[in-house]
Amino acid sequence: MKTEAKKRAVFFDRDGVIFKPIVMDGRPRAPHSIVEYKTLSGIMPGAKEAVEKVKALGFLAILVTNQPDIAYGVISKKEWEWVQSQLSSIPFDDIFICFHRRDDNCECMKPKPGMLLEAEKKWNINLAKSFMVGDTESDVLVAKEAGCKSILVDAPYNSSVSSDMRTHSLSELSNLLS
Ligand SMILES: [Mg+2]
Ligand SMILES: [Zn+2]
């Protein structure tokens, strides 16, 4: 039997990468309501085009995101689902979400590599030739744990975090993928 060549992937974080971050006291967070999404967040400029571009280059585009806010009671499930549905115009190949709270001690919450390892199995991914695009140290750490390269999207709150690579904006992302 012929073994299929492993695929390469670009993993994307949601908040601060695909959605504009809401920055409070110098820290980024997800929208806590539909109103917050509409007034303070929204789709990051160039996000859809960046995902289309990485796919055109032959990569899988996979969203991997921690979303503990329903469990913490800061957003209702219904409002969270509306916010998440704003991603539907972006052609991700797959979406992995950790809904746990920190004290659940799950294996999927970034910076643990659970979601990336699940994707690796499901899609036959070569993690060493894949990338994790994020905006916080957790995204850099999960990339390291999973053995892929980290790319930070520049933001005032991550200027002191070191990563394998950085990009000023999503529209320049594809230049880094080789
Ligand atoms: Mg983020
Ligand atoms: Zn989890």
Side-chain angles (χ1 to χ4, degrees):
M1 206 174 78
K2 200 170 146 238
T3 49
E4 216 187 315
K6 288 197 173 190
K7 299 179 186 80
R8 304 173 78 192
V10 179
F11 297 99
F12 290 87
D13 177 41
R14 194 190 84 169
D15 303 295
V17 175
I18 300 299
F19 287 166
K20 292 183 228 166
I22 296 175
V23 185
M24 296 274 171
D25 301 323
R27 294 170 61 103
R29 66 162 172 80
H32 289 169
S33 65
I34 293 172
V35 169
E36 276 198 358
Y37 176 84
K38 287 180 173 170
T39 56
L40 301 172
S41 179
I43 303 280
M44 189 79 97
K48 184 172 187 233
E49 295 75 11
V51 169
E52 288 169 346
K53 185 79 197 277
V54 306
K55 291 180 72 173
L57 290 171
F59 290 86
L60 293 164
I62 299 177
L63 189 82
V64 288
T65 177
N66 293 347
Q67 294 296 328
D69 289 347
I70 301 170
Y72 285 130
V74 299
I75 185 169
S76 69
K77 188 159 184 279
K78 210 174 152 199
E79 294 215 16
W80 182 89
E81 282 169 351
W82 185 92
V83 171
Q84 179 69 11
S85 74
Q86 303 311 297
L87 286 175
S88 60
S89 64
I90 300 182
F92 287 111
D93 291 296
D94 208 347
I95 292 178
F96 293 83
I97 304 173
C98 167
F99 286 110
H100 300 108
R101 303 161 55 110
R102 191 162 294 279
D103 56 10
D104 287 332
N105 267 313
C106 65
E107 292 303 314
C108 40
M109 182 177 279
K110 293 181 290 179
K112 285 191 184 169
M115 293 189 282
L116 279 70
L117 299 179
E118 202 184 327
E120 176 194 27
K121 263 190 241 145
K122 183 174 172 183
W123 290 93
N124 192 30
I125 291 169
N126 182 342
L127 288 173
K129 292 190 171 178
S130 296
F131 299 86
M132 171 76 218
V133 184
D135 68 320
T136 64
E137 187 174 34
S138 169
D139 299 310
V140 174
L141 294 173
V142 74
K144 204 170 181 180
E145 284 291 317
C148 56
K149 292 209 170 58
S150 57
I151 300 177
L152 277 178
V153 180
D154 284 338
Y157 52 81
N158 68 27
S159 56
S160 65
V161 180
S162 54
S163 56
D164 294 317
M165 288 173 278
R166 274 184 175 270
T167 186
H168 187 61
S169 73
L170 286 177
S171 49
E172 289 153 42
L173 174 65
S174 59
N175 302 329
L176 300 174
L177 309 176
S178 56

